[in-house]
Amino acid sequence: MAASGAPRPLVVANWKMNGLRRDGIDRARALVLLARNKGQIAGEVVLCPPATLLHEIRAALSGSGIGLGAQDCHAAASGAHTGDLSAPMLADLGCAYVIVGHSERRAGHGESDLQVRAKAEAALAVGLGPIICVGESEAARDQGQSVAVVRAQLEGSVPSGVAGEALAIAYEPIWAIGTGRTPKPEQIAEVHAMIHEFGKARFSGGAAALRVLYGGSVNARNAAEILSLEGVNGALVGGASLEAAGFWTICEAAGGPVMAAQGR
Ligand code: 13P
């Protein structure tokens, strides 16, 4: 991860459907204070709060160096899509990233690979960095199908002909999300290596700059080990991102001292 030539690590907080205005703003302010008091880190940090909080969190993060992202977008730029938000709307709000294809959207909203790809393309069209999520079920893992399932999701969900640095891919085994269970280090490394290989064939260039994040029960205790694995360029953090100090420990584990920072 921190090896010379590796892309700048990216740590993303996915707050999911958690937080009323007061909680979210307080948490964002606590993170800004930690960033200020503990010193800059080399990694890039992004918060993805619920859409209701994007506007106010953007103000709370102003000048802090911590970025803003959304949790989903529609594939169309505008139109008759009640309840949805478009990529241009999110860019207009100050987002730099948007998560697409999270397993909770794939399962809870029946999103297909094709829809996820269209969302990623919509994000790219307005300069938002899509964070495209992939990951196998427990049954697939038990059958030794993790790599094959994730590869098929990549084939269907990742746009082609774009530069590797324009997006990020998050490997989130479904069975590891919110369970406190994580794959063995060698299993994470195997899938990440395959994703990086996939990127070399898929992208128009910049495959070395592709950031492949691991997600699924990352916390302040296991982050250093997971983030030190070959091919792991950051983390997508759910539950542990809801507590500022613990989340900042994860950010520090990814970033190292600012002296080691490499431009994105
Ligand atoms: P947890 O960190 O709560 O396991 O969630 C992971 C996740 O789904 C992030 O997108």
XYZ file of all heavy atoms in Angstrom, residues 12-14 16 99 102-104 133 170 172 176-181 215-219 236-241, ligand 1:
194
model
N -12.611 5.985 3.081
C -13.960 6.513 2.867
C -14.873 6.054 3.995
O -14.935 4.865 4.309
C -14.519 6.022 1.512
C -15.914 6.595 1.268
C -13.580 6.392 0.373
N -15.564 7.018 4.598
C -16.565 6.714 5.624
C -17.925 6.598 4.954
O -18.394 7.564 4.350
C -16.588 7.827 6.664
N -18.529 5.446 5.050
C -19.886 5.261 4.549
C -20.821 5.223 5.749
O -20.917 4.203 6.431
C -19.972 3.957 3.737
C -21.378 3.688 3.233
O -22.270 4.528 3.375
N -21.588 2.524 2.650
N -23.911 5.257 5.754
C -25.162 4.571 5.420
C -26.355 5.423 5.913
O -26.273 6.643 5.867
C -25.147 3.154 5.993
C -23.874 2.387 5.561
C -23.919 0.932 5.850
C -22.620 0.284 5.352
N -22.580 -1.156 5.551
N -20.406 6.636 -4.068
C -20.377 5.173 -3.990
C -21.448 4.641 -4.934
O -22.574 5.145 -4.946
C -20.682 4.706 -2.546
C -19.621 5.233 -1.565
C -20.776 3.180 -2.473
C -20.008 5.062 -0.089
N -23.077 -0.530 -4.118
C -22.898 -1.157 -2.798
C -23.800 -2.390 -2.715
O -24.912 -2.390 -3.260
C -23.248 -0.145 -1.702
C -22.798 -0.606 -0.349
N -23.470 -1.569 0.356
C -21.721 -0.277 0.395
C -22.832 -1.804 1.500
N -21.768 -1.025 1.539
N -23.354 -3.408 -2.016
C -24.151 -4.656 -1.968
C -25.515 -4.413 -1.350
O -26.481 -5.125 -1.652
C -23.399 -5.742 -1.201
O -23.159 -5.334 0.123
N -25.625 -3.403 -0.467
C -26.929 -3.110 0.118
C -27.880 -2.507 -0.915
O -29.093 -2.635 -0.793
C -26.742 -2.182 1.340
C -26.116 -2.954 2.502
C -25.316 -2.113 3.477
O -25.428 -0.879 3.453
O -24.555 -2.721 4.257
N -18.496 -0.726 -5.947
C -18.388 -1.817 -4.973
C -18.657 -3.175 -5.613
O -19.591 -3.321 -6.413
C -19.377 -1.612 -3.836
S -19.128 -0.080 -2.936
N -14.060 -0.852 -4.681
C -14.054 -1.334 -3.297
C -14.441 -2.805 -3.277
O -15.523 -3.161 -3.757
C -15.021 -0.524 -2.449
N -15.764 -5.530 -1.162
C -16.486 -5.698 0.096
C -17.193 -7.054 0.100
O -18.314 -7.175 -0.428
C -17.546 -4.600 0.259
C -16.990 -3.198 0.343
C -17.911 -2.267 1.118
O -19.096 -2.175 0.773
O -17.444 -1.662 2.077
N -18.715 -10.119 5.163
C -17.851 -9.405 6.110
C -18.463 -8.075 6.537
O -17.979 -7.444 7.480
C -16.479 -9.161 5.479
N -19.534 -7.655 5.872
C -20.111 -6.333 6.155
C -20.934 -6.384 7.436
O -21.904 -7.150 7.534
C -20.976 -5.847 4.967
C -20.087 -5.609 3.746
C -21.744 -4.590 5.350
C -20.856 -5.243 2.482
N -20.505 -5.606 8.415
C -21.253 -5.479 9.665
C -21.254 -6.723 10.530
O -22.053 -6.824 11.464
N -20.383 -7.669 10.252
C -20.396 -8.941 10.987
C -19.231 -9.088 11.953
O -19.225 -10.008 12.773
C -20.314 -10.129 10.003
O -19.089 -10.014 9.263
C -21.501 -10.150 9.061
N -18.220 -8.237 11.824
C -17.024 -8.403 12.646
C -16.094 -9.471 12.088
O -15.058 -9.765 12.685
N -16.459 -10.062 10.960
C -15.599 -11.094 10.346
C -14.895 -10.483 9.137
O -15.473 -9.695 8.407
C -16.449 -12.277 9.885
C -17.131 -12.977 11.043
C -18.368 -13.712 10.570
N -18.057 -14.729 9.598
C -18.925 -15.173 8.677
N -20.145 -14.661 8.608
N -18.578 -16.107 7.840
N -13.332 -3.212 2.096
C -14.410 -2.855 3.019
C -15.032 -4.102 3.610
O -15.141 -5.141 2.941
N -15.485 -4.000 4.858
C -16.122 -5.126 5.546
C -15.480 -5.321 6.900
O -14.406 -5.919 7.002
N -16.116 -4.734 7.939
C -15.649 -4.883 9.322
C -14.242 -4.345 9.559
O -13.508 -4.867 10.395
C -15.758 -6.350 9.776
O -17.120 -6.745 9.809
N -13.880 -3.302 8.818
C -12.619 -2.603 9.128
C -12.854 -1.800 10.401
O -13.877 -1.135 10.550
C -12.207 -1.654 7.984
C -10.973 -0.842 8.370
C -11.952 -2.439 6.699
N -11.894 -1.883 11.338
C -12.006 -1.088 12.558
C -10.623 -0.618 12.995
O -9.620 -0.910 12.324
C -12.721 -1.893 13.661
C -11.988 -3.192 13.983
O -10.764 -3.206 14.112
N -12.736 -4.292 14.091
N -13.010 1.213 2.822
C -14.378 1.730 2.837
C -14.974 1.248 4.156
O -15.103 0.037 4.375
C -15.155 1.206 1.625
C -16.604 1.637 1.455
C -16.774 3.146 1.510
C -17.147 1.119 0.119
N -15.291 2.194 5.022
C -15.593 1.861 6.417
C -17.036 2.206 6.749
O -17.471 3.349 6.531
C -14.648 2.645 7.364
C -14.837 2.183 8.801
C -13.193 2.499 6.931
N -17.772 1.238 7.272
C -19.160 1.467 7.655
C -19.272 1.799 9.141
O -19.000 2.912 9.568
N -19.623 0.805 9.938
C -19.911 1.016 11.361
C -18.825 1.790 12.103
O -19.136 2.689 12.908
N -17.571 1.456 11.848
C -16.471 2.092 12.592
C -16.251 3.545 12.172
O -15.462 4.252 12.794
C -15.181 1.294 12.421
N -16.947 3.991 11.118
C -16.796 5.402 10.727
C -17.771 6.293 11.488
O -17.770 7.511 11.314
C -16.993 5.567 9.217
O -18.356 5.416 8.855
P -18.935 -2.251 8.020
O -17.613 -1.499 8.108
O -19.943 -1.795 9.008
O -18.701 -3.728 8.009
O -19.557 -1.855 6.592
C -18.783 -1.957 5.481
C -19.483 -1.294 4.363
O -20.496 -1.777 3.879
C -18.934 -0.017 3.874
O -19.510 0.357 2.669
